[in-house]
């Protein structure tokens, strides 16, 4: 049966990052939309936008296309975006899927959920940027985000990333209550994902917040590039 997917990227990415997965889902007969969110287009002014603008963009996309029975997927920081949108388009959703994503808690921003070294990195980058944005250093990308690719591929993709408005990491959204949302919720977890270190800050606390058992998939935090076949299959199974 054909399904409709709206795939929301993580920080520093545009909708282009979903292309390998989207093409596999389309080849299987599904409709796939991969928006680039406000503030993450090449050349966007990071000071113009708030986290709420990204939520509005996803809601507007779903409503303007009159989409129904949607599987809404969020990766990493995109968990904040799909959580904010889910409250407003729940009647149009088939399922809400978090892939190695943050699951927001009440009053907690992304900055509240990451290790101190990330908070220090983000603050330093934003202060030096002149426009309150964060550029992900290649060394962090290479070692923690795309650790299952060779250096040539790591550098190629890293050059496509855009600065992330810091306010997207410091603002909050209202959490969902899976028991009352009225939509099935799932979590897909990449087994080689060390973008958040195991332990206190590990990814495994987030499916626990949802009260679900994660669907595991091989690959790093950037499995959309390095393991697209497996990730597409996991999204269909979630």
């Amino acid at each position: 049966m054909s399904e409709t997917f709206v795939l929301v990227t993580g920080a520093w990415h545009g909708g282009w990052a979903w292309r390998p997965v989207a093409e596999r889902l389309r080849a299987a007969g599904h409709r796939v939309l991969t928006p680039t969110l406000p503030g993450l287009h090449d050349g966007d002014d990071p000071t113009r936008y708030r986290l709420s603008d990204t939520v509005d963009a996803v809601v507007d996309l779903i409503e303007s296309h009159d989409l129904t029975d949607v599987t809404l997927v969020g990766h990493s920081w995109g968990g904040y975006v799909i959580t904010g949108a889910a409250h407003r388009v729940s009647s149009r959703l088939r399922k809400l899927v978090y892939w190695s994503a943050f699951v927001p808690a009440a009053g907690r921003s992304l900055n509240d959920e990451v290790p101190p070294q990330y908070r220090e990195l983000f603050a330093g980058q934003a202060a030096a940027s002149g426009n309150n944005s964060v550029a992900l250093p290649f060394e962090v990308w290479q070692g923690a985000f795309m650790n299952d690719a060779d250096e040539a591929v790591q550098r190629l993709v890293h050059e496509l990333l855009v600065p992330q408005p810091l306010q997207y990491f410091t603002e909050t959204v209202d959490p969902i209550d899976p028991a009352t949302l009225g939509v099935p919720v799932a979590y897909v977890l990449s087994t080689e994902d060390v973008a958040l270190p195991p332990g206190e800050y590990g990814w495994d606390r987030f499916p626990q917040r949802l009260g679900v058992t994660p669907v595991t998939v091989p690959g790093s935090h950037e499995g959309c590039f390095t393991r697209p076949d497996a990730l597409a299959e996991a999204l269909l199974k979630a």
Side-chain angles (χ1 to χ4, degrees), residues 1 4 7 19 23 25 66 81-82 95 99 159 170 186 198 211 214 220 229-230 232:
M1 181 179 69
T4 297
L7 307 179
R19 181 172 172 82
E23 287 299 286
L25 293 174
D66 195 23
V81 182
I82 68 168
K95 182 172 285 189
W99 164 46
E159 289 180 0
T170 60
S220 67
D229 289 306

PDB file of all heavy atoms in Angstrom, residues 1 4 7 19 23 25 66 81-82 95 99 159 170 186 198 211 214 220 229-230 232:
ATOM      1  N   MET A   1       0.843  -1.192   0.000  1.00  0.00           N
ATOM      2  CA  MET A   1       0.000   0.000   0.000  1.00  0.00           C
ATOM      3  C   MET A   1       0.883   1.248   0.000  1.00  0.00           C
ATOM      4  O   MET A   1       1.846   1.338   0.758  1.00  0.00           O
ATOM      5  CB  MET A   1      -0.906   0.007   1.234  1.00  0.00           C
ATOM      6  CG  MET A   1      -1.837   1.199   1.290  1.00  0.00           C
ATOM      7  SD  MET A   1      -2.926   1.158   2.741  1.00  0.00           S
ATOM      8  CE  MET A   1      -1.733   1.440   4.052  1.00  0.00           C
ATOM      9  N   THR A   4       2.405   8.098   2.495  1.00  0.00           N
ATOM     10  CA  THR A   4       2.957   9.439   2.339  1.00  0.00           C
ATOM     11  C   THR A   4       3.905   9.727   3.491  1.00  0.00           C
ATOM     12  O   THR A   4       3.523   9.610   4.655  1.00  0.00           O
ATOM     13  CB  THR A   4       1.843  10.501   2.304  1.00  0.00           C
ATOM     14  OG1 THR A   4       1.003  10.273   1.172  1.00  0.00           O
ATOM     15  CG2 THR A   4       2.435  11.899   2.206  1.00  0.00           C
ATOM     16  N   LEU A   7       9.661  13.903   5.593  1.00  0.00           N
ATOM     17  CA  LEU A   7      10.932  13.628   6.261  1.00  0.00           C
ATOM     18  C   LEU A   7      11.589  14.952   6.655  1.00  0.00           C
ATOM     19  O   LEU A   7      11.866  15.800   5.798  1.00  0.00           O
ATOM     20  CB  LEU A   7      11.859  12.845   5.335  1.00  0.00           C
ATOM     21  CG  LEU A   7      11.282  11.555   4.706  1.00  0.00           C
ATOM     22  CD1 LEU A   7      12.325  10.905   3.804  1.00  0.00           C
ATOM     23  CD2 LEU A   7      10.806  10.580   5.776  1.00  0.00           C
ATOM     24  N   ARG A  19      17.691  12.619   0.293  1.00  0.00           N
ATOM     25  CA  ARG A  19      17.510  12.101  -1.070  1.00  0.00           C
ATOM     26  C   ARG A  19      17.781  10.606  -1.211  1.00  0.00           C
ATOM     27  O   ARG A  19      16.974   9.884  -1.822  1.00  0.00           O
ATOM     28  CB  ARG A  19      18.353  12.899  -2.061  1.00  0.00           C
ATOM     29  CG  ARG A  19      18.182  12.412  -3.497  1.00  0.00           C
ATOM     30  CD  ARG A  19      18.873  13.318  -4.505  1.00  0.00           C
ATOM     31  NE  ARG A  19      18.844  12.722  -5.834  1.00  0.00           N
ATOM     32  CZ  ARG A  19      17.826  12.780  -6.667  1.00  0.00           C
ATOM     33  NH1 ARG A  19      16.711  13.391  -6.307  1.00  0.00           N
ATOM     34  NH2 ARG A  19      17.879  12.212  -7.857  1.00  0.00           N
ATOM     35  N   GLU A  23      14.564   8.430  -2.384  1.00  0.00           N
ATOM     36  CA  GLU A  23      14.523   7.733  -3.668  1.00  0.00           C
ATOM     37  C   GLU A  23      14.166   6.257  -3.493  1.00  0.00           C
ATOM     38  O   GLU A  23      13.452   5.672  -4.316  1.00  0.00           O
ATOM     39  CB  GLU A  23      15.867   7.874  -4.380  1.00  0.00           C
ATOM     40  CG  GLU A  23      16.108   9.263  -4.935  1.00  0.00           C
ATOM     41  CD  GLU A  23      15.064   9.652  -5.969  1.00  0.00           C
ATOM     42  OE1 GLU A  23      15.110   9.130  -7.089  1.00  0.00           O
ATOM     43  OE2 GLU A  23      14.174  10.475  -5.633  1.00  0.00           O
ATOM     44  N   LEU A  25      12.328   5.011  -0.982  1.00  0.00           N
ATOM     45  CA  LEU A  25      10.907   4.957  -0.625  1.00  0.00           C
ATOM     46  C   LEU A  25      10.025   5.196  -1.852  1.00  0.00           C
ATOM     47  O   LEU A  25       9.006   4.524  -2.039  1.00  0.00           O
ATOM     48  CB  LEU A  25      10.601   5.989   0.461  1.00  0.00           C
ATOM     49  CG  LEU A  25      11.239   5.728   1.834  1.00  0.00           C
ATOM     50  CD1 LEU A  25      10.963   6.915   2.763  1.00  0.00           C
ATOM     51  CD2 LEU A  25      10.707   4.441   2.450  1.00  0.00           C
ATOM     52  N   ASP A  66      -2.722  19.411   1.506  1.00  0.00           N
ATOM     53  CA  ASP A  66      -3.879  18.628   1.961  1.00  0.00           C
ATOM     54  C   ASP A  66      -3.486  17.160   2.166  1.00  0.00           C
ATOM     55  O   ASP A  66      -4.180  16.235   1.734  1.00  0.00           O
ATOM     56  CB  ASP A  66      -5.041  18.740   0.961  1.00  0.00           C
ATOM     57  CG  ASP A  66      -6.363  18.259   1.562  1.00  0.00           C
ATOM     58  OD1 ASP A  66      -6.490  18.258   2.808  1.00  0.00           O
ATOM     59  OD2 ASP A  66      -7.265  17.869   0.785  1.00  0.00           O
ATOM     60  N   VAL A  81      11.054  19.693  15.882  1.00  0.00           N
ATOM     61  CA  VAL A  81      10.156  20.218  14.844  1.00  0.00           C
ATOM     62  C   VAL A  81       8.924  19.340  14.705  1.00  0.00           C
ATOM     63  O   VAL A  81       7.790  19.836  14.696  1.00  0.00           O
ATOM     64  CB  VAL A  81      10.903  20.333  13.502  1.00  0.00           C
ATOM     65  CG1 VAL A  81       9.980  20.919  12.444  1.00  0.00           C
ATOM     66  CG2 VAL A  81      12.166  21.180  13.663  1.00  0.00           C
ATOM     67  N   ILE A  82       9.123  18.024  14.615  1.00  0.00           N
ATOM     68  CA  ILE A  82       7.951  17.158  14.410  1.00  0.00           C
ATOM     69  C   ILE A  82       7.088  17.095  15.661  1.00  0.00           C
ATOM     70  O   ILE A  82       5.868  16.931  15.565  1.00  0.00           O
ATOM     71  CB  ILE A  82       8.345  15.745  13.933  1.00  0.00           C
ATOM     72  CG1 ILE A  82       9.093  14.949  15.011  1.00  0.00           C
ATOM     73  CG2 ILE A  82       9.134  15.824  12.631  1.00  0.00           C
ATOM     74  CD1 ILE A  82       9.240  13.469  14.674  1.00  0.00           C
ATOM     75  N   LYS A  95       1.433   8.163  11.479  1.00  0.00           N
ATOM     76  CA  LYS A  95       2.410   7.758  12.488  1.00  0.00           C
ATOM     77  C   LYS A  95       3.421   8.885  12.663  1.00  0.00           C
ATOM     78  O   LYS A  95       3.689   9.663  11.746  1.00  0.00           O
ATOM     79  CB  LYS A  95       3.116   6.467  12.074  1.00  0.00           C
ATOM     80  CG  LYS A  95       4.118   5.937  13.099  1.00  0.00           C
ATOM     81  CD  LYS A  95       4.642   4.565  12.708  1.00  0.00           C
ATOM     82  CE  LYS A  95       3.605   3.483  12.967  1.00  0.00           C
ATOM     83  NZ  LYS A  95       4.180   2.117  12.799  1.00  0.00           N
ATOM     84  N   TRP A  99      13.847   9.327  14.376  1.00  0.00           N
ATOM     85  CA  TRP A  99      15.030   8.537  14.020  1.00  0.00           C
ATOM     86  C   TRP A  99      16.258   9.174  14.677  1.00  0.00           C
ATOM     87  O   TRP A  99      16.627  10.292  14.343  1.00  0.00           O
ATOM     88  CB  TRP A  99      15.222   8.454  12.502  1.00  0.00           C
ATOM     89  CG  TRP A  99      16.606   7.990  12.130  1.00  0.00           C
ATOM     90  CD1 TRP A  99      17.302   6.942  12.671  1.00  0.00           C
ATOM     91  CD2 TRP A  99      17.498   8.601  11.181  1.00  0.00           C
ATOM     92  NE1 TRP A  99      18.563   6.845  12.111  1.00  0.00           N
ATOM     93  CE2 TRP A  99      18.707   7.843  11.206  1.00  0.00           C
ATOM     94  CE3 TRP A  99      17.390   9.688  10.324  1.00  0.00           C
ATOM     95  CZ2 TRP A  99      19.786   8.162  10.397  1.00  0.00           C
ATOM     96  CZ3 TRP A  99      18.470  10.013   9.517  1.00  0.00           C
ATOM     97  CH2 TRP A  99      19.649   9.243   9.554  1.00  0.00           C
ATOM     98  N   GLU A 159      30.862  19.800   3.621  1.00  0.00           N
ATOM     99  CA  GLU A 159      30.890  21.068   2.896  1.00  0.00           C
ATOM    100  C   GLU A 159      29.499  21.546   2.493  1.00  0.00           C
ATOM    101  O   GLU A 159      29.309  22.725   2.175  1.00  0.00           O
ATOM    102  CB  GLU A 159      31.779  20.946   1.662  1.00  0.00           C
ATOM    103  CG  GLU A 159      33.263  20.850   1.992  1.00  0.00           C
ATOM    104  CD  GLU A 159      34.128  20.721   0.761  1.00  0.00           C
ATOM    105  OE1 GLU A 159      33.572  20.702  -0.358  1.00  0.00           O
ATOM    106  OE2 GLU A 159      35.364  20.629   0.918  1.00  0.00           O
ATOM    107  N   THR A 170      18.074  26.549  21.725  1.00  0.00           N
ATOM    108  CA  THR A 170      17.785  27.092  23.056  1.00  0.00           C
ATOM    109  C   THR A 170      16.296  27.279  23.312  1.00  0.00           C
ATOM    110  O   THR A 170      15.896  27.489  24.460  1.00  0.00           O
ATOM    111  CB  THR A 170      18.502  28.440  23.253  1.00  0.00           C
ATOM    112  OG1 THR A 170      18.061  29.377  22.254  1.00  0.00           O
ATOM    113  CG2 THR A 170      20.015  28.267  23.147  1.00  0.00           C
ATOM    114  N   ALA A 186       6.748   5.901  17.073  1.00  0.00           N
ATOM    115  CA  ALA A 186       7.820   4.914  16.992  1.00  0.00           C
ATOM    116  C   ALA A 186       9.164   5.608  17.076  1.00  0.00           C
ATOM    117  O   ALA A 186       9.282   6.824  16.845  1.00  0.00           O
ATOM    118  CB  ALA A 186       7.726   4.120  15.687  1.00  0.00           C
ATOM    119  N   PRO A 198      27.263   7.343  24.693  1.00  0.00           N
ATOM    120  CA  PRO A 198      26.483   6.430  25.528  1.00  0.00           C
ATOM    121  C   PRO A 198      26.567   6.830  26.995  1.00  0.00           C
ATOM    122  O   PRO A 198      27.552   7.403  27.451  1.00  0.00           O
ATOM    123  CB  PRO A 198      27.156   5.071  25.284  1.00  0.00           C
ATOM    124  CG  PRO A 198      27.876   5.220  23.987  1.00  0.00           C
ATOM    125  CD  PRO A 198      28.303   6.654  23.912  1.00  0.00           C
ATOM    126  N   GLY A 211       7.917   5.561  25.778  1.00  0.00           N
ATOM    127  CA  GLY A 211       7.359   4.292  26.231  1.00  0.00           C
ATOM    128  C   GLY A 211       7.321   3.244  25.141  1.00  0.00           C
ATOM    129  O   GLY A 211       6.443   2.387  25.131  1.00  0.00           O
ATOM    130  N   PRO A 214      12.711   0.669  20.707  1.00  0.00           N
ATOM    131  CA  PRO A 214      13.179   1.180  19.425  1.00  0.00           C
ATOM    132  C   PRO A 214      13.364   0.086  18.381  1.00  0.00           C
ATOM    133  O   PRO A 214      13.700  -1.054  18.700  1.00  0.00           O
ATOM    134  CB  PRO A 214      14.524   1.830  19.777  1.00  0.00           C
ATOM    135  CG  PRO A 214      14.980   1.119  21.000  1.00  0.00           C
ATOM    136  CD  PRO A 214      13.738   0.789  21.771  1.00  0.00           C
ATOM    137  N   SER A 220      25.601   5.032  11.367  1.00  0.00           N
ATOM    138  CA  SER A 220      25.937   6.160  12.218  1.00  0.00           C
ATOM    139  C   SER A 220      24.766   7.140  12.284  1.00  0.00           C
ATOM    140  O   SER A 220      23.669   6.875  11.782  1.00  0.00           O
ATOM    141  CB  SER A 220      27.161   6.874  11.647  1.00  0.00           C
ATOM    142  OG  SER A 220      26.828   7.472  10.399  1.00  0.00           O
ATOM    143  N   ASP A 229      19.530   2.072   2.375  1.00  0.00           N
ATOM    144  CA  ASP A 229      18.649   0.910   2.178  1.00  0.00           C
ATOM    145  C   ASP A 229      18.087   0.442   3.523  1.00  0.00           C
ATOM    146  O   ASP A 229      16.873   0.227   3.670  1.00  0.00           O
ATOM    147  CB  ASP A 229      19.396  -0.241   1.498  1.00  0.00           C
ATOM    148  CG  ASP A 229      19.704   0.047   0.042  1.00  0.00           C
ATOM    149  OD1 ASP A 229      18.752   0.366  -0.704  1.00  0.00           O
ATOM    150  OD2 ASP A 229      20.861  -0.081  -0.354  1.00  0.00           O
ATOM    151  N   ALA A 230      18.978   0.282   4.489  1.00  0.00           N
ATOM    152  CA  ALA A 230      18.545  -0.186   5.806  1.00  0.00           C
ATOM    153  C   ALA A 230      17.637   0.815   6.482  1.00  0.00           C
ATOM    154  O   ALA A 230      16.636   0.439   7.132  1.00  0.00           O
ATOM    155  CB  ALA A 230      19.761  -0.486   6.675  1.00  0.00           C
ATOM    156  N   ALA A 232      15.655   3.136   5.026  1.00  0.00           N
ATOM    157  CA  ALA A 232      14.345   3.139   4.368  1.00  0.00           C
ATOM    158  C   ALA A 232      13.505   1.954   4.831  1.00  0.00           C
ATOM    159  O   ALA A 232      12.311   2.085   5.107  1.00  0.00           O
ATOM    160  CB  ALA A 232      14.520   3.124   2.845  1.00  0.00           C
TER     161      ALA A 232
END
